[in-house]
Structures are given as C-alpha cells and as structure tokens.
Amino acid sequence: QQDETSTGQIVALLFDQLLNGGGDSAIRKLDRVSIVGAEIVFEDKQHKLLLRSPNADIALYRDAEGVLGEAALELDVGSQRTSLNVRALYTRNRDRMAVAINFDALRPAMFAAFDPRLQRLVDLDLPFSGTVDAVLSGQGDLRSVTVNVTGGAGTINMPDLLGSVQQVQGLALRGDLNLATQTITLDQAQADLGVTKVGVTGMGTLTPPKSPQ
C-alpha cells in the first residue's frame, strides 16, 4: 500500500505522461488511467496550503485539447471534511486549466485561505450546494470563478450589506469573479432572513489586499 505522498506523486507522474504523449513509455501510449480508493495530498507551496483526500476515485483521459480529469473525492480542509465531484481540463500547451466542481453541504469558509481575495468567504457560515467553475493559469493562478449555489440555514457576517450578523434560513447566489478585470458580478444574491428576504444584484470592483507592514 502506498502512503499519501507516494500516491500523489504517482498521480502527478501519470498526468504528466498522459499530457506529453508519444515516445517509448508504456504510460504515454495509454488514453485513460483510473485510480480507485486513493489517499492523496494536494500541496500548493506558493500559497502554503495542504489539502488531504483520504478517499478518492480518479480517472484521467487524454484528448485533443489536453488531459481531462474526473474525480469523486472526500476532501479534508483544516478540521472539516466535504465530498466533491470535480472535472478538470489541463490544456496541452500548459497555459490554462478549467475546473468544474459540484458539491453538497459545503461550507465556503473552508477555502478562504486559497487566495487573499477570497478571505471574505469566512463571512458565510452556512452549508452550500451547487456548482463552481474556475479558470486558472497553467501555473495555478486563479483567473476567474463562476458560482451558482444555494445555501441552507446559518449566519452571514456582512455589515456593509446587512448591518450586523444575520441568521438566515436560506440563500441563493449566482455570479462571477474576474481577477483579470478585478470585477465581481452578482446576477442573484438573495438571503431568506425568516421575517424578510434581502437581495442584491450588480457589479463591483475588488479592493486589492493590503501589503503586510
């Protein structure tokens, strides 16, 4: 049995071989590789993040655009665990990755540490279900995010919008974040506060994170 680090290295090797194709390597001649019940560690050294998946089923396919990956996995982020279905395409010229994530009862605050511009996800303390589509550079830098989710009962801490911490019965959110233009678009953002409903739509500009003193 391989340990988590070894499994992650094997997945990375298989991915690279499928992406390159050709040559005398037996792996490079394959069009699909499947891994079942793996333990995987995802390490982002740039952002000092370490994610663990104790149980993952992964399939990697080679196609004309690059390598397509599909995964059903349990993901540990900090002290929390969630289940995700992920579909990702990494282009053959290594300049772009498109990722689609489907989830149920996920808490957004788990991912606030991914990027300083996502820090306000900690203000949403409630479970979400839905989809998130992201585009990243070939080096893993986030370029854009599209969100279409609904939320269950919990709290929202957005004093600039709601004045104080609010108990909510449910929430619907649909919009996108474009880091190239530093804009956020809300097609729908509605919270059910029980006695009333609050909604907002529109477009805004992101405030760059402050540099450490």
Side-chain angles (χ1 to χ4, degrees), residues 14-26:
L14 292 172
F15 186 92
D16 185 70
Q17 293 290 301
L18 285 170
L19 187 65
N20 289 321
D24 297 328
S25 169

Side-chain angles (χ1 to χ4, degrees), residues 19 29 94 105 117 124 134 146-147 150 160 181 193 206 213:
L19 187 65
K29 300 180 185 300
R94 301 173 185 264
R117 289 161 290 194
L124 304 174
T146 300
V147 177
T150 58
D160 49 339
T181 60
L193 306 181
L206 298 176
Q213 296 297 324

Side-chain angles (χ1 to χ4, degrees), residues 24-98:
D24 297 328
S25 169
I27 296 177
R28 292 190 181 190
K29 300 180 185 300
L30 298 176
D31 292 321
R32 171 177 173 167
V33 176
S34 296
I35 301 172
V36 179
E39 294 181 320
I40 299 177
V41 173
F42 303 89
E43 183 176 9
D44 183 341
K45 294 182 179 179
Q46 179 180 353
H47 298 102
K48 298 181 180 179
L49 294 173
L50 187 66
L51 310 178
R52 296 180 182 273
S53 176
N55 184 26
D57 295 337
I58 301 170
L60 301 175
Y61 309 83
R62 189 203 335 262
D63 68 11
E65 294 185 70
V67 173
L68 175 66
E70 295 180 340
L73 56 118
E74 295 176 349
L75 188 65
D76 288 341
V77 183
S79 61
Q80 300 186 60
R81 177 176 292 186
T82 190
S83 296
L84 304 174
N85 288 303
V86 182
R87 183 179 176 90
L89 175 66
Y90 190 55
T91 56
R92 191 168 300 283
N93 59 8
R94 301 173 185 264
D95 70 342
R96 181 177 180 272
M97 180 182 291

